Amino acid sequence: MSSHATPHQVEPIAFGQRLQIHRNRRGMSRTVLAGLFGKSPSWVKAVESGRLQTPKLPMILRIAEVLRVRDLVDLTGPEVGTSLPTELFIGPGHSRLPAVRAAVDAYPLTTSRQAPPLEHLRARITRAWTARHQAPDHRRVIGTLLPDLIRDAQLAARQADRATDRRTAQSLLAQVYALAQFFLAYQPDSSLLWRVAERCVVAAQESEDPHTIGIAAWLAAEAHRDAAHYDAADAVTEETLRWLAPHRPDGGDDVRAIAGALEVAAGYTAARRGNAGAAWGFWDRARASADRLPNDYYHPVTSFSRTVMGAHAVTVAVELHAGGESVRQAARADAHTIPSRPRRARHRIEEARAHQLAGEAETALATLERAHQTAPETIAYNGFARRILLEESESRVPAPRARASRLAVEIGALAA
């Protein structure tokens, strides 16, 4: 042993070992992982064994995207990661986050304040969802509304006397927690997001309302998939779809729409796993569900509708890393028909992913610029957009490098 060594020194974990740990944690074979970013299983094995050196930043970013590694240091190690932007799938903490956190954390038992009437609270929640869809700075808008909505909905649930009022109040409380999840997503407080998600599920179950239960399940599945808990996401969607089945014929458009949204969610998870057959099968089921809705119907929480199915097809193809199919689906989808600004911006980001997969960097960047014009807060918190901009900011071609760097600085993904 060298005289300079100490008994407590630990060899750093190499990139390949970290890659293998994350891959195994996600339950992915080398074949599936390799296929999702266009490499061979033998290439993955060579990187994991250390026979190949650590890839360059663009490939590291693509691996991080596939494995849903939120902090790049977890994948690269601090020795490599110190020079890299660390947060990929976590955006900045919003200025309204402390106020929303305080409202969630509060536990007022002795207040004498009277809860607002349930119909008044319902109208405020409806206006909040409408404001979210219309505003380019939607996090600021709902972050401003949420603290009072959380406090009033909690009071309403606690003060309701009759059984029917208690169920209605629990449904409204679940809807407020659903709105909070849209605000908290991709912010640096994942424990708060999970607490709100769990409260949403509990309140929804207490409401006994199929539509509200479906919303809570859809949001729980989204959270599980974003955390790469694919088995949990599948369990939530499959169980809820089975439970909703007898409610769908007579449950009205909202129940049929939330079931369709859950079918889309199941398709997204299958695509994230690399299972093309199951992914497109769920999309087909969702398409049939959308076709049973009125032409002008638009679900206020999930955006599920006829108009959004083209956008969903783009995402399925992109999650399967099928570049040509992604671009074909993007050409068919019409972003202008999506009434929600944040959902339209998200679709633009998915289009950008499609064009980058197809090797069309300039088109991808132009599409991200349109997303930024539509809803700046959407792109600032979107890990896929951040990954594209960081990758293209390393391009050897001056024009896309400068274009990507400018937008990356504007959304806070790179320092000025």
Side-chain angles (χ1 to χ4, degrees):
M1 179 181 290
S2 166
S3 61
H4 298 291
T6 71
H8 300 292
Q9 282 181 329
V10 178
E11 287 292 319
I13 302 175
F15 175 84
Q17 293 172 291
R18 290 174 180 271
L19 172 58
Q20 186 172 18
I21 289 168
H22 283 286
R23 177 178 62 77
N24 289 335
R25 188 177 294 162
R26 302 308 180 217
M28 279 190 184
S29 67
R30 288 185 178 126
T31 300
V32 169
L33 178 63
L36 288 174
F37 47 76
K39 293 290 186 179
S40 66
S42 60
W43 182 88
V44 176
K45 184 176 181 180
V47 172
E48 290 183 346
S49 66
R51 288 189 289 109
L52 285 179
Q53 64 181 6
T54 300
K56 302 267 185 211
L57 176 60
M59 180 54 70
I60 290 175
L61 290 168
R62 293 191 180 214
I63 293 170
E65 177 185 319
V66 169
L67 294 177
R68 299 301 285 178
V69 178
R70 290 175 176 265
D71 189 329
L72 290 182
V73 172
D74 291 341
L75 182 61
T76 64
E79 296 79 12
V80 177
T82 50
S83 63
L84 297 176
T86 58
E87 292 180 344
L88 188 60
F89 287 94
I90 300 177
H94 197 277
S95 61
R96 297 297 302 169
L97 178 58
V100 173
R101 183 191 295 118
V104 174
D105 288 345
Y107 197 59
L109 293 175
T110 60
T111 181
S112 59
R113 189 165 64 88
Q114 185 66 34
L118 293 178
E119 287 309 309
H120 180 262
L121 182 58
R122 188 195 305 277
R124 286 167 57 196
I125 294 169
T126 299
R127 288 196 298 270
W129 282 111
T130 300
R132 179 194 176 265
H133 288 302
Q134 293 177 347
D137 53 345
H138 47 92
R139 285 183 193 261
R140 182 194 63 79
V141 169
I142 63 174
T144 300
L145 298 172
L146 271 171
D148 285 341
L149 279 173
I150 291 170
R151 285 188 284 265
D152 287 347
Q154 289 173 338
L155 273 180
R158 190 162 69 248
Q159 293 178 5
D161 293 327
R162 296 182 302 171
T164 54
D165 287 345
R166 282 197 296 272
R167 288 193 293 271
T168 299
Q170 290 290 351
S171 176
L172 296 175
L173 178 60
Q175 292 177 46
V176 171
Y177 285 141
L179 188 68
Q181 287 177 73
F182 277 88
F183 173 79
L184 293 170
Y186 313 118
Q187 292 205 55
D189 196 339
S190 59
S191 63
L192 182 62
L193 173 65
W194 281 107
R195 273 191 290 143
V196 169
E198 289 166 358
R199 290 187 188 183
C200 183
V201 168
V202 171
Q205 291 175 345
E206 290 292 324
S207 79
E208 302 179 11
D209 175 58
H211 178 231
T212 306
I213 290 171
I215 289 172
W218 180 80
L219 284 163
E222 295 286 303
H224 280 301
R225 186 174 59 254
D226 281 341
H229 303 156
Y230 301 141
D231 290 344
D234 283 338
V236 170
T237 51
E238 291 168 9
E239 179 69 15
T240 308
L241 282 168
R242 281 195 296 269
W243 184 82
L244 283 174
H247 299 279
R248 292 177 77 167
D250 302 318
D253 290 337
D254 285 344
V255 171
R256 286 188 280 273
I258 197 61
L262 285 162
E263 289 164 343
V264 170
Y268 279 6
T269 306
R272 189 73 58 81
R273 291 181 185 272
N275 188 337
W280 287 115
F282 278 115
W283 185 89
D284 286 336
R285 287 173 57 182
R287 169 85 267 181
S289 297
D291 286 343
R292 298 186 188 101
L293 297 170
N295 286 332
D296 60 350
Y297 178 87
Y298 196 82
H299 192 265
V301 178
T302 68
S303 295
F304 188 79
S305 57
R306 292 188 179 195
T307 60
V308 86
M309 288 308 301
H312 287 315
V314 175
T315 299
V316 169
V318 166
E319 292 288 1
L320 290 167
H321 290 245
E325 180 63 19
S326 301
V327 172
R328 283 191 291 274
Q329 293 293 346
R332 294 173 188 163
D334 186 359
H336 298 290
T337 63
I338 301 174
S340 168
R341 290 181 74 116
R343 185 62 184 87
R344 192 159 66 247
R346 181 188 156 200
H347 172 57
R348 291 295 190 197
I349 293 167
E350 298 297 279
E351 284 186 314
R353 293 175 71 193
H355 287 296
Q356 200 205 29
L357 277 172
E360 302 167 357
E362 287 280 11
T363 306
L365 292 172
T367 307
L368 286 181
E369 288 169 349
R370 288 198 293 274
H372 187 253
Q373 292 164 4
T374 302
E377 287 191 346
T378 296
I379 188 172
Y381 287 84
N382 187 283
F384 300 117
R386 295 163 74 89
R387 193 270 300 161
I388 292 171
L389 292 174
L390 292 172
E391 185 173 332
E392 296 303 332
S393 69
E394 297 285 316
S395 172
R396 295 179 180 178
V397 183
R401 182 174 68 241
R403 193 173 190 176
S405 298
R406 281 195 301 270
L407 187 52
V409 169
E410 194 162 351
I411 69 169
L414 284 178

